Amino acid sequence: MISIEETDLGTPHRESEKLVTLTIDGTEVTVPAGTSVMRAAALAGTKVPKLCATEQLEAFGSCRLCLVQIEGMKGLPASCTTLVGEGMKVTTQNQKIAEIRRGVMELYISDHPLDCLTCPANGHCELQEMAGAVGLREVRYGYEGENHLSLGKDTSNPYFTFDASKCIVCSRCVRACEEQQGTFALTIQGRGFESKVSPSQNESFMDSECVSCGACVQACPTATLSEKSLIEKGQAEHSIVTTCAYCGVGCSFRAEMKGEEVVRMVPNKDGHANHGHSCVKGRFAIGYATHKDRILKPMIRANISDPWREVSWEEAINHASSEFKRIQAKYGRDSIGGITSSRCSNEETYLVQKLIRAGFGNNNVDTCARVCHSPTGYGLKQTLGESAGTQDFDSVMKSDVIFVIGANPTDGHPVFASQMKRRLRQGAKLIVADPRRIDLVKSPHIEASYHLKLFPGTNVALINSLAHVIVTEGLVKEDFVRARCEVDSFEKWRDFVALERNSPEAMEPVTGVPAAEIRAAARLYATGGNGAIYYGLGVTEHSQGSTMVMGIANLAMATGNVGREGVGVNPLRGQNNVQGSCDMGSFPHEFPGYRHVSDNTVRHLFETTWGVTLQNEPGLRIPNMFEAALDGEFKGLYLEGEDIAQSDPNTQHVTAALSAMECIVVQDLFLNETAKFAHVFLPGSSFLEKDGTFTNAERRISRVRKVMEPKSGYADWEITQLLSNAMGYPMNYKHPSEIMDEIAKLTPTFTGVSFKKIDEMGSIQWPCNDAHPNGTPTMHVDEFVRGKGRFLVTEYVPTREKVNAKFPLILTTGRILSQYNVGAQTRRTENNQWHDEDRIEMHPHDAEERGIKTDDWVGVRSRAGETVLRAKVSDRVQPGVVYTTFHFPESGANVITTDNSDWATNCPEYKVTAVQATRVSQPSEWQKRFRTFTETQESLLKAAETVSVK
Amino acid sequence: MSSDGPEQIVRMANDIGNFFRAEPDRKVALDGISNHINKFWTRRMRQRLLDYVAHGGNELDELPLAAVKLVVVAAAPVGQPATPAVVAK
């Protein structure tokens, strides 16, 4: 069911420069060509009755309720499938039409339960509405005939129910699954009276191919598909538009509320990033915000072996600040620092880096991007001049060739993947470069033209060989390069990639990709029309992560695929506000807006505004913090929303560093892995309690609006402000909008941004300033941000992480749709029903060699450590490669990842770890210690809660 | 392994050198390496690199070794006692 506050105009909006004027019931209306008569009528204020039509889906013309009379046309055409014509005269209501409509409704109601008063859709049901609209007063057929009223309910999905007795077989759900989601999990089985909605091969929803995106629930005009939360709680009474806190798509949602209780999250059809679509996480997995594990009171303890003690906010803040001051007095100014995360809003991140720079007096601030897209920031800044992607998501609809490198969008960016799949079904070509056969390679009505199944760690070898083909076969867009790029850097690069050692033939033994495939893929990308590259952590989380990003930018520039819609370099930023946390300068070397701390002019601007002298030296990155802690020089850490003990590589190294510190302050929702090493716990807020902004992968700044007051009593930004004041650096913001106003004042790419403007426009893509007052969907249009694009020579340097007899397999890591990153949020929801443990995926050959079957326990050992996971034998991975996810702390995926990292940014090389896998019968030593430590820490937490109850 | 101990510092410097090794213009390569170190490494890390070279450390590859001459550890950051600028010979 659509949102309580949205109006459904019946059929999709059409873009056209040509306008058509027609008359509907005597009223003139002008609409773009291609608009349906139904939609034109709705825009003119006339709601033509409908049941099978909905604005999110293409017209279907099956229910026959929307018939109209059009002068000069025979019969009574359906207004949903009839397009407007110049001078058309439409009558939407007369005696004949009214009789037909009543007749249609009589048929529907003759086979529908009459339990409106106890139905979950009561008051918000389109069938109910249509019965009223057509003036239905009786059903002349009676109710004694054959019907579907005794059909049962499918309650298998944890989030919604399918009540077949209420289904009117309008096919909206089937069409939503096809057009919006692209999974094609639903069909109409049978004909005529036997027609029914069938998930997959007449299976339950849970057993079918359904990915629980909720598009069918959204589309359903009756209570047939209803959210279980709606069934339980009843209809909402108001809604608030906010932004999802999961992935980097940044879907806009309407949180439908009863008071401060969320009834359901409904995707906002006016959402600029998601256009009314969603995935299982944002749509349904919000239960973590009110989970029993939430900690709502501040706590402190002297040592991590002590029980926690619940204290007042004043005591907690004073304790944290006095500890930080003590540590600085003893070990020096640089002995403390902070880490933000993408869970923080822009305003919250800005305040943390301001506290550290102005309050702590150093630049020891870093963010979660360190471990994911920091190479994107570095590489794109070097080549194009800006640390961000070049397009918006809608650009994909104008792409002719889509090249996905090291990304798995159907799992990591599902709503954008649905849009990409729509374009692919329209005929765009697909190239995938990935060691694994990701779902996108072959899915309903989509097949990649080329799947370049390269060996992990050989990205740069691949991109160089693709470039070799483009350069040596004369496929460079010479006029673009000459006009828009530094010619000398291009010529250097051209001469380099043309070398024989970079040819596909020479690189084939390195990458494992047949030379003929590389040649064909390169030709397709260079000559197939608009070529767009989308990439993810399979590019960045390597020792040559930054090099590969530069290689991608080189390829895009050489083929003229930058600076307009349909092309571009598109980093798929994984998290809701990782782009924002970078933009806000949560980096040891850069202020907000990506300006170096040594830049005297920029630093002076911040010093003047902040009223304090600032350090001009780069500070500690996260890995440097660990090393400095182990050296006894870094002793205090303030973390907001980041769980480094689970997310960072080489877990044992990280926990050793944490154990060496004297004051760790964790601001979070739960006792996460890092909090088990903390001395101060400050209860944070979920996105439902936040006011501020997030910036998604498109540089799109959207509002996150609180739907309930912070459960701990303070908003996250207020907590940082309290700490700052206690540290002696005054902050007096009254509202997050004031923080954004300050950001805008200090950051050239944000000067036009304000809460007011975001509210007016819905969202803004930075840069937003005098040059771009309405934001910038496509970057580098007339020139690159750095002026001329710069090519960089990208020599392939093999990783240090070598396989050998002892560690013969390569482990690579990734994500799954239903769980999100470290799982702190999704593990506390029903999403566990899809994925309740991390598994090691292994090719059948490798499994057979080792006597391993699916479900066996497998010891996975690397040079860094060992863990035990259950096996899943699958040919999605190639021989010699194993794969796992990292959503469950007890699986210890990062116990085995190493300290190898990107040469430029120290982004960890998560994607290449040499391992051996053997069948085992018990957990690893690390897992045994982890279990004991976790049990101890949980009991120490329980002690605090017990004292509090007393 | 400490990221600031000689072994790690040398590894990091060599990795940076490996990227710039393909740059045909030596001056551009040397500037690239030293600029990167100056911009992204902490004072402590840069000082340790200079100390490593000054004390005869010989595990650096040729290019990063040559670039060390351009690595700067200037006067202490504002707010701390000033020390004379230290530049590797």
Side-chain angles (χ1 to χ4, degrees):
Chain A
M1 191 70 67
I2 65 167
S3 173
I4 52 171
E5 291 191 38
E6 281 179 351
T7 311
D8 189 339
L9 300 174
T11 59
H13 168 72
R14 294 294 185 233
E15 286 287 341
S16 177
E17 283 176 15
K18 181 171 178 238
L19 297 175
V20 172
T21 302
L22 65 158
T23 306
I24 301 177
D25 296 332
T27 302
E28 231 179 49
V29 56
T30 302
V31 291
T35 303
S36 71
V37 169
M38 173 185 281
R39 187 181 175 96
L43 289 168
T46 297
K47 282 162 55 168
V48 175
K50 62 177 184 66
L51 273 174
C52 72
T54 179
E55 189 177 336
Q56 294 288 100
L57 304 172
E58 295 300 323
F60 197 53
S62 76
C63 74
R64 315 315 288 175
L65 261 183
C66 70
L67 306 184
V68 293
Q69 187 168 329
I70 299 177
E71 195 179 279
M73 271 196 194
K74 268 192 198 167
L76 296 169
S79 59
C80 64
T81 50
T82 305
L83 302 184
V84 296
E86 185 64 36
M88 202 181 246
K89 288 198 171 87
V90 179
T91 302
T92 66
Q93 181 75 2
N94 60 29
Q95 183 67 28
K96 179 92 170 124
I97 292 171
E99 282 170 13
I100 291 173
R101 287 183 183 150
R102 265 200 296 275
V104 167
M105 286 308 298
E106 267 187 293
L107 287 166
Y108 274 124
I109 301 301
S110 72
D111 189 12
H112 194 84
L114 297 178
D115 61 350
C116 291
L117 290 183
T118 53
C119 177
N122 188 16
H124 190 53
C125 170
E126 288 188 50
L127 191 69
Q128 200 177 48
E129 198 187 326
M130 291 304 109
V134 306
L136 186 70
R137 297 292 170 257
E138 60 174 341
V139 175
R140 289 165 295 169
Y141 304 101
Y143 300 98
E144 294 75 34
E146 219 177 324
N147 58 52
H148 298 92
L149 302 188
S150 59
L151 289 180
K153 293 181 190 176
D154 177 350
T155 57
S156 59
N157 186 291
Y159 295 121
F160 61 84
T161 296
F162 176 74
D163 185 351
S165 71
K166 296 185 192 262
C167 181
I168 61 170
V169 199
C170 64
S171 300
R172 277 201 204 173
C173 54
V174 175
R175 288 145 55 207
C177 195
E178 290 178 8
E179 291 174 37
Q180 272 195 299
Q181 171 53 27
T183 296
F184 293 75
L186 303 177
T187 189
I188 300 293
Q189 184 180 296
R191 296 261 192 232
F193 189 78
E194 304 304 319
S195 302
K196 63 173 191 163
V197 173
S198 167
S200 295
Q201 302 295 313
N202 205 23
E203 296 157 73
S204 71
F205 268 87
M206 201 60 181
D207 290 336
S208 73
E209 289 150 317
C210 168
V211 295
S212 199
C213 68
C216 57
V217 183
Q218 176 91 346
C220 183
T222 68
T224 305
L225 282 157
S226 292
E227 296 92 342
K228 286 184 174 173
S229 57
L230 176 72
I231 295 170
E232 185 195 319
K233 296 177 183 173
Q235 297 287 345
E237 33 85 359
H238 74 275
S239 72
I240 297 173
V241 174
T242 188
T243 303
C244 183
Y246 278 119
C247 83
V249 175
C251 294
S252 179
F253 277 93
R254 287 189 172 274
E256 290 195 348
M257 312 293 298
K258 287 166 93 84
E260 280 204 337
E261 190 180 21
V262 177
V263 174
R264 58 178 191 156
M265 299 293 284
V266 181
N268 176 12
K269 72 166 182 165
D270 295 324
H272 295 159
N274 60 318
H275 305 300
H277 192 39
S278 63
C279 83
V280 62
K281 297 187 291 290
R283 181 75 159 93
F284 297 117
I286 58 157
Y288 70 88
T290 49
H291 194 272
K292 61 179 174 60
D293 286 351
R294 278 285 298 268
I295 298 174
L296 300 177
K297 300 246 171 66
M299 304 187 296
I300 63 174
R301 57 182 179 179
N303 303 297
I304 67 170
S305 54
D306 294 341
W308 284 103
R309 190 164 60 87
E310 282 183 1
V311 294
S312 66
W313 273 105
E314 192 181 352
E315 186 175 348
I317 294 290
N318 285 342
H319 179 73
S321 66
S322 66
E323 276 294 276
F324 282 155
K325 285 184 209 167
R326 176 190 67 77
I327 288 169
Q328 281 190 305
K330 183 173 177 184
Y331 298 100
R333 176 187 291 248
D334 292 337
S335 60
I336 61 174
I339 300 173
T340 65
S341 76
S342 55
R343 298 288 88 72
C344 306
S345 66
N346 288 323
E347 295 75 16
E348 289 158 4
T349 303
Y350 176 83
L351 278 201
V352 171
Q353 62 87 38
K354 184 178 181 183
L355 161 63
I356 288 160
R357 294 196 150 106
F360 291 7
N362 59 50
N363 287 319
N364 294 340
V365 61
D366 207 353
T367 189
C368 59
R370 181 64 49 203
V371 300
C372 65
H373 266 284
S374 49
T376 287
Y378 183 88
L380 294 188
K381 185 144 190 200
Q382 295 293 318
T383 49
L384 309 182
E386 190 59 271
S387 298
T390 64
Q391 319 290 122
D392 60 8
F393 289 144
D394 286 349
S395 165
V396 77
M397 300 311 287
K398 297 195 173 152
S399 298
D400 301 305
V401 180
I402 295 169
F403 190 176
V404 176
I405 309 176
N408 186 10
T410 50
D411 283 49
H413 297 78
V415 172
F416 172 65
S418 292
Q419 189 176 24
M420 182 189 279
K421 288 195 292 187
R422 203 173 317 132
R423 180 66 193 128
L424 290 170
R425 291 195 300 276
Q426 287 174 354
K429 299 278 185 266
L430 175 65
I431 307 167
V432 172
D434 200 292
R436 268 196 336 149
R437 188 184 68 241
I438 58 171
D439 285 349
L440 201 58
V441 167
K442 193 164 175 170
S443 55
H445 302 282
I446 289 166
E447 189 166 0
S449 300
Y450 303 103
H451 175 198
L452 308 176
K453 212 167 176 179
L454 74 170
F455 208 62
T458 64
N459 289 337
V460 175
L462 179 75
I463 204 81
N464 286 348
S465 57
L466 290 162
H468 178 94
V469 175
I470 287 167
V471 158
T472 58
E473 292 189 10
L475 303 178
V476 172
K477 282 281 189 301
E478 296 279 349
D479 46 357
F480 178 89
V481 170
R482 302 280 156 196
R484 297 285 308 269
C485 305
E486 287 177 356
V487 173
D488 56 347
S489 73
F490 165 71
E491 287 171 352
K492 244 188 260 185
W493 171 80
R494 180 198 59 200
D495 294 344
F496 163 74
V497 293
L499 295 170
E500 185 52 34
R501 69 171 187 268
N502 288 319
S503 69
E505 291 72 22
M507 285 299 190
E508 183 175 332
V510 173
T511 62
V513 182
E517 273 185 37
I518 295 179
R519 287 194 177 273
R523 289 167 195 149
L524 178 59
Y525 173 70
T527 64
N530 285 342
I533 296 175
Y534 292 86
Y535 73 90
L537 306 189
V539 160
T540 57
E541 290 177 347
H542 283 87
S543 55
Q544 283 205 292
S546 294
T547 309
M548 181 60 178
V549 171
M550 291 187 263
I552 288 172
N554 290 339
L555 208 69
M557 287 190 286
T559 53
N561 279 314
V562 195
R564 61 184 190 282
E565 289 181 286
V567 299
V569 177
N570 299 272
L572 290 172
R573 308 298 301 246
Q575 306 200 58
N576 63 309
N577 201 34
V578 62
Q579 180 70 54
S581 68
C582 299
D583 302 341
M584 292 300 108
S586 188
F587 279 136
H589 64 294
E590 282 174 338
F591 290 116
Y594 304 102
R595 295 163 292 170
H596 202 271
V597 294
S598 65
D599 183 325
N600 292 332
T601 308
V602 172
R603 197 175 64 259
H604 182 67
L605 172 66
F606 282 91
E607 287 177 338
T608 309
T609 307
W610 292 354
V612 67
T613 311
L614 299 173
Q615 215 186 61
N616 63 350
E617 287 275 1
L620 296 168
R621 294 170 173 173
I622 294 173
N624 306 146
M625 291 179 188
F626 300 151
E627 304 311 332
L630 290 168
D631 285 347
E633 294 177 4
F634 188 79
K635 292 291 194 178
L637 186 58
Y638 172 44
L639 298 109
E640 191 175 325
E642 186 70 355
D643 191 6
I644 51 179
Q646 187 176 345
S647 59
D648 282 48
N650 197 346
T651 304
Q652 295 177 104
H653 181 70
V654 174
T655 54
L658 291 172
S659 300
M661 295 189 211
E662 292 182 9
C663 182
I664 296 173
V665 178
V666 166
Q667 186 170 325
D668 213 299
L669 307 188
F670 310 108
L671 189 79
N672 59 25
E673 302 315 303
T674 307
K676 292 170 185 168
F677 294 87
H679 308 86
V680 181
F681 188 93
L682 303 176
S685 297
S686 72
F687 81 112
L688 295 173
E689 303 147 72
K690 277 190 200 288
D691 246 340
T693 57
F694 291 152
T695 306
N696 76 349
E698 303 170 283
R699 296 168 281 106
R700 186 182 299 283
I701 309 165
S702 300
R703 286 280 278 115
V704 53
R705 295 183 178 89
K706 68 177 177 187
V707 306
M708 58 185 74
E709 288 303 304
K711 292 190 176 306
S712 70
Y714 282 108
D716 281 315
W717 66 270
E718 289 178 311
I719 298 171
T720 305
Q721 182 160 272
L722 286 173
L723 184 58
S724 185
N725 286 324
M727 291 289 296
Y729 180 75
M731 285 189 188
N732 293 300
Y733 301 99
K734 300 283 181 295
H735 190 271
S737 59
E738 293 177 13
I739 304 171
M740 179 51 80
D741 290 342
E742 183 174 311
I743 294 165
K745 208 171 85 168
L746 293 167
T747 315
T749 43
F750 274 65
T751 52
V753 179
S754 66
F755 275 32
K756 181 165 176 280
K757 188 151 186 180
I758 298 172
D759 288 344
E760 283 164 4
M761 292 182 62
S763 66
I764 300 172
Q765 284 177 273
W766 67 260
C768 175
N769 44 32
D770 290 343
H772 307 277
N774 294 321
T776 315
T778 307
M779 293 195 67
H780 316 294
V781 172
D782 296 316
E783 61 170 10
F784 290 97
V785 167
R786 68 182 306 279
K788 298 277 188 188
R790 182 172 161 220
F791 287 79
L792 279 144
V793 170
T794 53
E795 179 85 69
Y796 168 61
V797 177
T799 172
R800 268 192 192 88
E801 187 66 8
K802 305 273 190 251
V803 295
N804 57 17
K806 199 170 171 195
F807 304 107
L809 304 169
I810 289 282
L811 170 76
T812 188
T813 58
R815 286 158 174 76
I816 201 161
L817 169 66
S818 53
Q819 295 286 357
Y820 181 71
N821 282 5
V822 296
Q825 297 153 283
T826 45
R827 275 185 285 114
R828 294 178 168 95
T829 70
E830 294 297 331
N831 280 21
N832 284 340
Q833 292 197 31
W834 284 279
H835 184 89
D836 62 358
E837 61 176 339
D838 296 323
R839 292 263 186 148
I840 184 98
E841 271 185 39
M842 184 181 283
H843 190 272
H845 291 163
D846 295 326
E848 190 182 331
E849 261 180 18
R850 292 160 175 79
I852 292 170
K853 300 184 309 296
T854 293
D855 295 336
D856 282 348
W857 287 104
V858 176
V860 186
R861 188 163 36 88
S862 75
R863 293 175 175 97
E866 180 173 4
T867 192
V868 172
L869 297 159
R870 284 212 293 168
K872 181 179 170 187
V873 179
S874 166
D875 66 355
R876 281 213 305 182
V877 287
Q878 51 180 294
V881 177
V882 289
Y883 168 87
T884 191
T885 49
F886 56 96
H887 304 301
F888 290 81
E890 58 268 27
S891 57
N894 279 322
V895 172
I896 42 183
T897 52
T898 69
D899 284 333
N900 292 326
S901 66
D902 173 53
W903 67 269
T905 64
N906 289 140
C907 180
E909 192 169 50
Y910 289 115
K911 303 307 188 193
V912 188
T913 306
V915 298
Q916 175 58 290
T918 43
R919 254 185 76 193
V920 296
S921 56
Q922 57 175 335
S924 69
E925 288 308 311
W926 176 84
Q927 279 164 314
K928 289 177 192 167
R929 287 195 305 272
F930 172 82
R931 202 170 292 165
T932 307
F933 181 69
T934 297
E935 282 167 4
T936 304
Q937 288 299 318
E938 284 171 358
S939 69
L940 295 175
L941 175 64
K942 236 180 175 36
E945 290 165 352
T946 308
V947 166
S948 167
V949 164
K950 285 185 189 152
Chain B
M1 181 199 328
S2 163
S3 80
D4 293 357
E7 195 179 313
Q8 181 69 0
I9 291 287
V10 166
R11 210 169 92 153
M12 288 168 65
N14 283 342
D15 284 347
I16 298 168
N18 283 341
F19 174 77
F20 287 98
R21 199 176 50 207
E23 167 57 58
D25 186 326
R26 186 175 169 84
K27 181 175 184 313
V28 170
L30 293 177
D31 284 343
I33 296 169
S34 57
N35 284 340
H36 187 93
I37 291 173
N38 284 328
K39 278 184 76 170
F40 295 105
W41 287 24
T42 63
R43 284 173 53 82
R44 185 164 163 273
M45 290 163 71
R46 300 194 316 267
Q47 188 61 58
R48 290 206 174 175
L49 181 66
L50 298 182
D51 291 345
Y52 173 81
V53 172
H55 289 116
N58 59 3
E59 297 286 311
L60 277 176
D61 294 337
E62 187 275 325
L63 202 59
L65 178 61
V68 165
K69 295 182 178 53
L70 302 170
V71 171
V72 175
V73 181
V78 173
Q80 291 184 0
T83 55
V86 176
V87 177
K89 296 195 175 88

